[in-house]
Amino acid sequence: MVKRAYASTEKKAGSQTVVEITEDGLSELLSRARGVQNGLCSIPVEERLIVIEKIGQAWEEKRRKGELESLKHELSASTGYSPQTIDLELSLVPSALNSLSIKRNLVASFPFEISCLERFTEVGKDEYCWYRPRGPVFIISSGNSLIPPLIPTTISLATGNMTLLRPSLANFFGVKAVYSLLEDISGDVAELMREALAISYFSHDSPSLDYLLTKSKVGVINFWGGEPARTEISRRVSSNPNHPDLIINGPLTGYAIVDASSATESAALALARNILLFDQQLCSSPTEGAFIGDWEDAVEFVTMVGKKLDDLTETLPPKVTESRAYVIEGIRRSLQFKGSMVFKSGSSPNWTIALSKSRSVLDDALQAFPEFGLHTRRRFMEIIVLEKYEDALRMIEELPKRKSFRGIDGVQSVGLSVSDDSRERLCAGLAERGIFRILPLEDMYMRSALEPYDGMNLAQAFTYAVYRRDKPLEA
Amino acid sequence: MSSSEIFKRASESRLLKDPYVEKVWRLIGDTGLFKKSPDFLESLRRDLLRESLDFFKRHSGYYSQLFERLDIDPKSADFPDLAKLAIPSDMLRGDGQKQFLIDDVEQGGEFFTSSGTTGKEPVKIYRSPLDLAIMIKANTYLFEHVYGGKLEEGKGIALFLAAPELRHKLSFVAFVQLTLEYKDIELLYGMDMVQGETSGTQWQKLVPNRERILKFMKSKAEPKLLFTAPAGIYLLSQNFEKMNILKRIVYKLVTGTPPIELGRGGVIVTGGGSKGYTLPPYDDIVSLSRKYFLAKDSSGQEIPTPFMDVLGMTETLTALIDRHGSLNKIPHPLSQVFLLDPRTYGVIEEDGKEGILGIFNPFVTSWLETFYPGDLMSSMPSTSYYGREFKYIRRFTVEEGWDLQRACGGTMEEMMTRKG
């Protein structure tokens, strides 16, 4: 990936062989950081974004020509997503690299003009700020999907950081394929970006990883993930005498709330789409739902969702294994025998919705199938029929403590299809309970360019502000 | 409880006043069932299915609600409904069976558990005295049918390569002991259970009891019945196979074996899976064992030693039994054995297709015993009373999900794996 070839070593990780930059290689790479970052900072942000945009354009061109077919199948095998889902994901790469979107994000991230990323920018009379790269930034990115690693990496590069990305084994080849397109872009800016970006896998017991975390002069370590890696990473980073910033984006999930007055066909379609997209593996994917209203209304609504799921499954079929079919069938029965009403795809284990009265039954059902944890549940949702909106807030608050949601920190996104009257009250209640995103159910999977990431501003986290005042403050 | 105590308590069961239970009790004692036609038995089982569902509806608020939720009317229920009612055995782990027991379940019975070799909590099943009595009768008659004759009371000797403590844990061991008690046939346990410590955890292991094994070997009683896991007979035979000539002569002088004469009506009955050993195919185990274990038919003519294999599990009151070389696995005439499509979980009607084994035992009175344990089998037409025989294919292996935990929660994959 990088222009320069740093000392590396081949390593077996799971069933794959990966190339890992050695400690010496990292040392050399990091020694160049200041020069590279200064070089990037001297380039107007707009120009940096043009190069990033070009990566997206080149990607789209390759996709159009069908040159990503083998990668598609490789990623399908490594992630467990169906080829159709990977297709969808590949089509979204240009959006993640869209210069206008990134610019909007940067504009929203800084209190002043984005020229503050290039030079001292006046922020008051004779007062200035220059947001400098805090890097090098070491990103340990999230797992299955291809897009999430692109977001922090691109922002890190756009804000002028030397960026070292460690993808997961599942998405490694996808991420690499995206940024390798930098190689074909001409010009000094692209040249500098090539120098600024290194992609390498590091196994958990790698001396290189240990060096990065405990000794190196990286400025920021951005970790996306959960336990037990999170605690281990934190422990190691805390012993680094250079005190890099550790930014953790922990595992989160999504929630859907629908009330009887808004349980329309379009809400059913929206929920169905969210259940199918990326097999609910995104932090924004709703993995449980609350229906506020009567049982009969809920049954009617879920029946509609089922029809939509059947329709959508034709274009986005799941990847079904015998083992998955066995577990899902077992859990369906377990839920049914413990009191839920189970809606399911007709002839195969494509999708499942369990409708439960007043409380979740899933925790009980999991006793027989402990392997059916959150990350194994795909195209599966339990919807709990509740009387009051407050009950839904309580469910969301208690979610991370439940056995069926073990491993997540909390709810990131709540998709709403509720009456206007209740929306305001509900939003306030959700904000009080630490929810990061409140969205329409229709597109809760979509990120606006203006959005913070899990409640924080990544671009600011990857930079530090240099404040300058040329004259004494007036009394 | 001894078999006589079981029958005494069973005869006092209040449930026998229920017409359905009374009918079941009568049928289970009818050995004439094994001579009926497949069509007759199928029709009988259909009737029993309906009456059984009605019985459970009457005796359990839980089942009453469940049938309503599953849209099943006991009066018109049919075999495809079993696909809805069958539960995976995993639901019977720990206290899972509790919710399925009828409201007026009779106390004073026994609990059996699975061996727990899967690493999960074992399956635990309660058997009331009446159910235990049904178990003894049903399995004895099924065994005798496949064996090819009646076990005569007080005749013969049996060796079970298990420890006596397992009688109160494993239902297969209980069934063998109770049946032999019922028939007044002497049973020797060929193993002892030793308590031991390994890596700081308590565990139990079986060691051979040479004295009792020798007693069986030297016994002149006929028939000799040897009950064992396939690993047991394989290891014994392999032990003989590996002896050098000198050792074999000495062994022969001391024990009179090998070969081991099982005598007229002698049989080797296997069951219970591999028990953690890597074993050769069953056919090879049989061939090897027949070199060292000899048997005769009722007229005294030497015959290839009969092998019967029992497919039982904690959660089924009756087993499926085969006779090697002549009959594949066959259930009790009143058991409805069905295969489920591994994709749709609907009942497979045709023979020849692989499916997930499902069992419904309408004669169990404490809970609606219909479940699928996670074994793949296929069926084939048969001239037997059942009209169908079954062949074991393999046990399901279930991915545990750790390898999928890569989304937000699993960026350091190696740390997420259990494989180190």
Side-chain angles (χ1 to χ4, degrees):
Chain A
M1 159 54 27
V2 282
K3 178 193 171 194
R4 201 169 300 274
Y6 296 101
S8 308
T9 180
E10 276 198 359
K11 214 164 179 187
K12 195 98 179 137
S15 57
Q16 299 181 38
T17 302
V18 291
V19 177
E20 204 176 270
I21 305 177
T22 63
E23 201 174 321
D24 286 346
L26 286 170
S27 183
E28 192 197 341
L29 184 148
L30 296 175
S31 71
R32 306 178 59 81
R34 182 181 289 183
V36 170
Q37 292 186 167
N38 286 342
L40 268 181
C41 282
S42 68
I43 296 165
V45 174
E46 302 272 4
E47 286 186 38
R48 300 178 214 168
L49 297 184
I50 286 170
V51 172
I52 292 171
E53 168 97 24
K54 281 182 179 170
I55 301 174
Q57 287 168 349
W59 180 265
E60 185 53 26
E61 184 65 9
K62 272 176 102 73
R63 199 175 77 85
R64 203 178 49 75
K65 288 181 182 165
E67 291 173 11
L68 301 177
E69 281 302 296
S70 66
L71 178 68
K72 178 171 84 180
H73 293 292
E74 207 172 338
L75 289 175
S76 173
S78 64
T79 60
Y81 290 145
S82 66
Q84 291 83 348
T85 300
I86 295 291
D87 240 346
L88 177 68
E89 183 151 50
L90 299 183
S91 75
L92 294 173
V93 168
S95 315
L97 302 171
N98 179 277
S99 60
L100 282 176
S101 296
I102 302 167
K103 188 176 172 187
R104 284 186 75 203
N105 180 266
L106 295 177
V107 169
S109 298
F110 296 98
F112 319 107
E113 291 173 32
I114 56 166
S115 60
C116 69
L117 286 166
E118 302 160 5
R119 58 180 178 273
F120 282 114
T121 300
E122 195 163 35
V123 296
K125 195 169 181 319
D126 298 319
E127 292 181 82
Y128 305 87
C129 268
W130 187 356
Y131 283 82
R132 302 278 308 167
R134 194 181 278 267
V137 174
F138 175 38
I139 300 166
I140 302 174
S141 80
S142 60
N144 264 357
S145 302
L146 177 57
I147 305 293
L150 304 186
I151 295 169
T153 307
T154 302
I155 287 180
S156 175
L157 281 174
T159 49
N161 286 287
M162 174 164 257
T163 307
L164 178 54
L165 171 64
R166 185 261 191 210
S168 72
L169 280 176
N171 61 25
F172 184 87
F173 292 106
V175 171
K176 204 174 147 194
V178 172
Y179 289 112
S180 68
L181 295 172
L182 252 179
E183 303 285 346
D184 305 327
I185 300 170
S186 57
D188 294 343
V189 186
E191 176 80 6
L192 208 48
M193 278 205 182
R194 282 196 284 275
E195 186 122 10
L197 177 64
I199 299 177
S200 175
Y201 189 77
F202 299 104
S203 61
H204 76 289
D205 55 354
S206 146
S208 302
L209 178 69
D210 195 55
Y211 165 76
L212 276 167
L213 300 174
T214 63
K215 296 189 188 77
S216 75
K217 281 192 174 178
V218 292
V220 180
I221 294 167
N222 182 202
F223 174 79
W224 297 69
E227 301 304 334
R230 169 169 47 185
T231 300
E232 181 57 21
I233 299 279
S234 305
R235 192 184 62 75
R236 293 202 216 174
V237 173
S238 67
S239 70
N240 189 326
N242 299 301
H243 307 296
D245 284 352
L246 175 61
I247 301 166
I248 291 176
N249 293 83
L252 297 163
T253 193
Y255 207 93
I257 303 179
V258 177
D259 68 15
S261 69
S262 307
T264 58
E265 197 164 336
S266 68
L269 177 63
L271 184 57
R273 193 181 290 131
N274 276 294
I275 290 172
L276 255 57
L277 278 177
F278 299 103
D279 294 346
Q280 294 168 295
Q281 297 297 296
L282 303 180
C283 287
S284 58
S285 307
T287 49
E288 186 172 283
F291 184 92
I292 318 294
D294 293 340
W295 178 260
E296 289 71 25
D297 290 338
V299 170
E300 198 179 320
F301 176 66
V302 175
T303 306
M304 265 196 290
V305 177
K307 281 188 185 129
K308 302 294 177 194
L309 280 167
D310 276 338
D311 294 345
L312 291 173
T313 301
E314 283 179 27
T315 47
L316 272 181
K319 214 172 173 179
V320 178
T321 63
E322 188 185 73
S323 165
R324 190 170 291 179
Y326 183 76
V327 174
I328 191 72
E329 190 55 36
I331 206 84
R332 284 170 174 176
R333 282 161 200 259
S334 193
L335 283 160
Q336 222 159 14
F337 278 70
K338 286 178 188 291
S340 296
M341 185 179 236
V342 173
F343 298 75
K344 57 187 182 180
S345 42
S347 60
S348 61
N350 288 343
W351 57 264
T352 306
I353 299 181
L355 199 59
S356 306
K357 237 176 235 174
S358 311
R359 67 173 198 96
S360 166
V361 178
L362 186 58
D363 277 1
D364 292 346
L366 276 188
Q367 275 173 359
F369 294 94
E371 58 272 61
F372 198 60
L374 179 62
H375 299 297
T376 321
R377 298 203 289 272
R378 297 183 174 205
R379 303 183 182 219
F380 172 92
M381 182 178 277
E382 183 182 23
I383 296 178
I384 298 126
V385 184
L386 301 167
E387 276 181 32
K388 296 178 291 200
Y389 295 98
E390 286 67 27
D391 295 335
L393 294 174
R394 181 178 44 78
M395 294 291 302
I396 288 173
E397 196 166 10
E398 288 171 1
L399 195 92
K401 294 180 213 146
R402 282 170 39 199
K403 196 163 63 178
S404 49
F405 285 88
R406 186 175 291 156
I408 60 141
D409 292 350
V411 173
Q412 178 205 60
S413 305
V414 176
L416 298 177
S417 181
V418 295
S419 66
D420 291 341
D421 298 347
S422 51
R423 181 183 306 276
E424 208 53 45
R425 192 158 48 98
L426 205 46
C427 286
L430 290 168
E432 285 164 14
R433 283 162 179 83
I435 306 310
F436 293 133
R437 306 173 73 225
I438 306 166
L439 314 123
L441 186 60
E442 278 77 0
D443 68 348
M444 62 186 289
Y445 55 90
M446 287 289 287
R447 274 191 178 279
S448 151
L450 306 181
E451 280 192 54
Y453 294 89
D454 299 351
M456 65 164 192
N457 190 310
L458 265 187
Q460 277 203 14
F462 291 163
T463 54
Y464 65 97
V466 182
Y467 169 78
R468 169 182 153 193
R469 188 170 68 241
D470 289 344
K471 289 183 182 168
L473 285 173
E474 286 173 13
Chain B
M1 262 190 298
S2 65
S3 57
S4 55
E5 280 173 296
I6 287 169
F7 282 112
K8 183 175 175 295
R9 287 202 202 176
S11 65
E12 293 161 359
S13 169
R14 281 175 287 106
L15 285 177
L16 282 172
K17 291 188 182 114
D18 187 290
Y20 176 67
V21 177
E22 191 275 329
K23 178 177 177 178
V24 160
W25 182 239
R26 185 169 37 80
L27 282 170
I28 219 74
D30 179 6
T31 52
L33 287 176
F34 293 87
K35 295 187 182 79
K36 301 286 185 197
S37 72
D39 288 346
F40 173 86
L41 289 172
E42 189 178 281
S43 167
L44 177 61
R45 289 196 299 270
R46 185 175 286 108
D47 291 344
L48 286 176
L49 167 66
R50 290 171 184 168
E51 291 166 48
S52 155
L53 297 189
D54 178 63
F55 167 80
F56 284 103
K57 190 178 171 182
R58 285 186 282 113
H59 285 262
S60 159
Y62 172 80
Y63 280 114
S64 172
Q65 286 173 21
L66 180 71
F67 297 156
E68 207 174 296
R69 219 162 43 241
L70 297 180
D71 200 19
I72 293 173
D73 178 5
K75 285 190 191 74
S76 56
D78 211 336
F79 297 134
D81 289 321
L82 290 174
K84 289 194 220 170
L85 286 166
I87 56 164
S89 293
D90 285 303
M91 281 177 69
L92 299 167
R93 296 187 185 281
D95 287 330
Q97 191 208 14
K98 226 176 200 173
Q99 64 176 323
F100 302 121
L101 292 170
I102 56 172
D103 300 338
D104 50 346
V105 65
E106 285 184 326
Q107 302 304 314
E110 295 188 27
F111 284 94
F112 298 105
T113 57
S114 60
S115 56
T117 45
T118 56
K120 293 181 179 175
E121 212 175 345
V123 167
K124 188 169 129 195
I125 300 291
Y126 173 74
R127 299 294 184 196
S128 69
L130 180 59
D131 285 346
L132 286 171
I134 292 170
M135 173 178 95
I136 296 171
K137 283 199 177 191
N139 281 319
T140 302
Y141 299 151
L142 173 62
F143 182 90
E144 287 180 332
H145 175 81
V146 180
Y147 174 65
K150 258 188 118 170
L151 291 170
E152 284 185 53
E153 282 192 29
K155 274 197 158 182
I157 187 168
L159 175 71
F160 199 154
L161 291 179
E165 292 91 329
L166 296 175
R167 145 71 181 90
H168 296 287
K169 182 174 158 57
L170 303 178
S171 62
F172 176 49
V173 181
F175 141 65
V176 172
Q177 178 170 325
L178 291 169
T179 298
L180 295 172
E181 255 177 46
Y182 178 50
K183 291 280 179 179
D184 193 23
I185 296 172
E186 184 184 9
L187 169 66
L188 303 168
Y189 280 100
M191 310 294 263
D192 286 325
M193 188 166 281
V194 174
Q195 303 284 333
E197 287 266 335
T198 297
S199 310
T201 55
Q202 267 266 318
W203 72 307
Q204 298 173 312
K205 60 180 181 179
L206 298 175
V207 292
N209 182 310
R210 291 180 191 284
E211 197 182 319
R212 291 198 289 263
I213 295 174
L214 270 179
K215 183 180 174 190
F216 175 79
M217 286 176 173
K218 289 178 169 178
S219 170
K220 301 285 179 211
E222 287 183 319
K224 278 184 178 170
L225 315 169
L226 174 55
F227 295 88
T228 172
I233 188 70
Y234 175 65
L235 293 174
L236 266 178
S237 305
Q238 213 188 25
N239 195 27
F240 291 136
E241 183 82 354
K242 282 181 180 168
M243 280 180 182
N244 59 36
I245 292 175
L246 188 66
K247 200 171 174 190
R248 194 174 289 202
I249 293 168
V250 173
Y251 204 83
K252 179 92 179 168
L253 282 171
V254 177
T255 67
T257 63
I260 297 166
E261 299 284 352
L262 298 176
R264 274 182 291 189
V267 64
I268 295 173
V269 185
T270 58
S274 67
K275 297 285 171 253
Y277 289 91
T278 306
L279 298 176
Y282 193 73
D283 283 352
D284 295 351
I285 294 176
V286 171
S287 302
L288 178 69
S289 307
R290 280 177 172 165
K291 284 166 71 177
Y292 302 105
F293 292 84
L294 306 178
K296 294 173 182 153
D297 66 13
S298 52
S299 67
Q301 185 78 28
E302 197 157 297
I303 52 167
T305 305
F307 266 76
M308 289 163 64
D309 187 62
V310 178
L311 177 66
M313 56 270 316
T314 313
E315 53 275 39
T316 176
L317 199 68
T318 56
L320 279 80
I321 307 181
D322 71 25
R323 189 178 168 105
H324 188 260
S326 60
L327 185 70
N328 287 297
K329 295 229 160 27
I330 191 164
H332 187 275
L334 300 183
S335 282
Q336 179 65 21
V337 170
F338 50 98
L339 298 180
L340 297 170
D341 185 310
R343 250 186 102 77
T344 64
Y345 285 76
V347 173
I348 299 173
E349 301 290 350
E350 313 92 309
D351 284 318
K353 284 189 175 172
E354 287 183 15
I356 297 167
L357 169 72
I359 298 175
F360 167 55
N361 288 327
F363 38 76
V364 179
T365 63
S366 301
W367 69 296
L368 181 64
E369 189 163 293
T370 178
F371 66 96
Y372 57 93
D375 298 292
L376 276 175
M377 297 187 81
S378 67
S379 68
M380 58 221 65
S382 165
T383 53
S384 72
Y385 61 82
Y386 209 77
R388 263 177 131 180
E389 293 172 23
F390 297 87
K391 199 166 181 180
Y392 191 84
I393 295 169
R394 67 179 162 90
R395 176 112 189 121
F396 247 123
T397 50
V398 175
E399 296 157 8
E400 293 188 42
W402 59 264
D403 55 341
L404 301 170
Q405 296 179 15
R406 284 184 182 145
C408 281
T411 50
M412 305 296 281
E413 288 93 337
E414 308 93 336
M415 294 179 82
M416 305 301 295
T417 67
R418 293 187 198 161
K419 293 176 182 171

